[in-house]
Amino acid sequence: QVQLVESGGGLVQAGGSLRLSCAASGRTDSAYAMAWFRQAPGKEREFVTVISWNGGNTIYAASVKGRFTISRDNAKNTVYLQMNSLKPEDTAVYYCAARSAGIATNWLFYDYWGQGTQVTVSS
């Protein structure tokens, strides 16, 4: 089992930045792909970005490419999401997820989830 805890959410004005963190604990000895998803009220869960276990491969949703950056520090069992040039449409609960296989963009393929952290971008 892997436990994931997100932090770093909050309220920010449009154009601002936030950095989310996702700390993993438990069985972290396996190679996990780590991803961020988000869900806005009344909308389906949406893929944001994913990073492979060694950080060598990343995928970004078109809506965040060029503005968001995912990274990981395996020594700290932590994944980060740097979000720049935030827009009101980025407002959502952001979830960290892990899977013990290769990268994937469909949330159905992820085994472990954090509780989520709220990001609100005001206009």
Side-chain angles (χ1 to χ4, degrees), residues 66-84:
R67 300 188 298 123
F68 290 12
T69 302
I70 189 171
S71 61
R72 66 190 298 164
D73 184 340
N74 287 342
K76 296 181 178 180
N77 295 320
T78 301
V79 174
Y80 305 97
L81 181 63
Q82 179 66 45
M83 305 186 294
N84 299 328

Side-chain angles (χ1 to χ4, degrees), residues 10-84:
L11 173 64
V12 64
Q13 288 189 333
S17 298
L18 281 174
R19 188 174 84 152
L20 306 184
S21 299
C22 173
S25 61
R27 289 197 61 183
T28 57
D29 54 320
S30 297
Y32 292 96
M34 301 292 294
W36 289 95
F37 292 83
R38 65 187 182 186
Q39 189 165 18
K43 294 188 177 182
E44 294 186 352
R45 190 164 298 190
E46 176 188 23
F47 167 77
V48 177
T49 181
V50 61
I51 188 167
S52 60
W53 71 273
N54 64 356
N57 292 314
T58 58
I59 300 175
Y60 294 91
S63 58
V64 307
K65 199 169 186 178
R67 300 188 298 123
F68 290 12
T69 302
I70 189 171
S71 61
R72 66 190 298 164
D73 184 340
N74 287 342
K76 296 181 178 180
N77 295 320
T78 301
V79 174
Y80 305 97
L81 181 63
Q82 179 66 45
M83 305 186 294
N84 299 328

Side-chain angles (χ1 to χ4, degrees), residues 90-101:
D90 294 319
T91 296
V93 176
Y94 282 71
Y95 297 93
C96 175
R99 69 188 300 259
S100 55

